[in-house]
Amino acid sequence: AIVQGAGGPKAMIAGHRVSVMDVVIWHEKLRLSVDEILDRIPTISHADIYAALAYYWDNREAVEQRIATDDAFVEEMRRNSPTLEEHVKSRRAGAHSIPA
């Protein structure tokens, strides 16, 4: 099923919160077998996984573009957002400074 998400339409396994991208990353990028995916997400079926992979193989360019776009967004957020440790240090430094 295609659902509208924050970053645009997203192909999902119908009735689940598992996206086609999730399955593609687990299977194609992390090299998990179908059975290993089922061990981690027992609410989906073999048919769900193969349907997600079939969608990917039929729409490979679009799915790969979405993965690249999401990866770029995450990397941008990492570069532009302080880590929790940096945030805490900043807050502590501000709490100990004397206002002018």
Side-chain angles (χ1 to χ4, degrees):
I2 304 293
V3 298
Q4 191 61 32
K10 186 184 286 188
M12 304 289 289
I13 294 176
H16 299 276
R17 291 184 176 184
V18 178
S19 72
V20 168
M21 272 187 3
D22 293 333
V23 173
V24 169
I25 290 168
W26 297 329
H27 190 266
E28 300 292 312
K29 311 296 183 195
L30 299 177
R31 311 309 278 167
L32 295 178
S33 70
V34 171
D35 288 332
E36 289 172 320
I37 295 169
L38 287 172
D39 286 343
R40 288 169 171 79
I41 313 291
T43 58
I44 61 177
S45 69
H46 280 93
D48 292 329
I49 293 172
Y50 287 115
L53 292 172
Y55 178 90
Y56 167 65
W57 293 322
D58 287 346
N59 300 280
R60 187 180 197 121
E61 188 175 315
V63 174
E64 289 289 343
Q65 180 59 46
R66 177 70 187 244
I67 291 170
T69 299
D70 286 1
D71 287 349
F73 175 77
V74 169
E75 185 56 36
E76 174 90 10
M77 292 300 291
R78 281 190 184 132
R79 279 195 312 269
N80 294 326
S81 299
T83 64
L84 179 58
E85 182 179 340
E86 291 168 338
H87 181 70
V88 169
K89 284 180 183 177
S90 172
R91 301 275 295 177
R92 285 184 182 156
H96 296 297
S97 64
I98 299 172

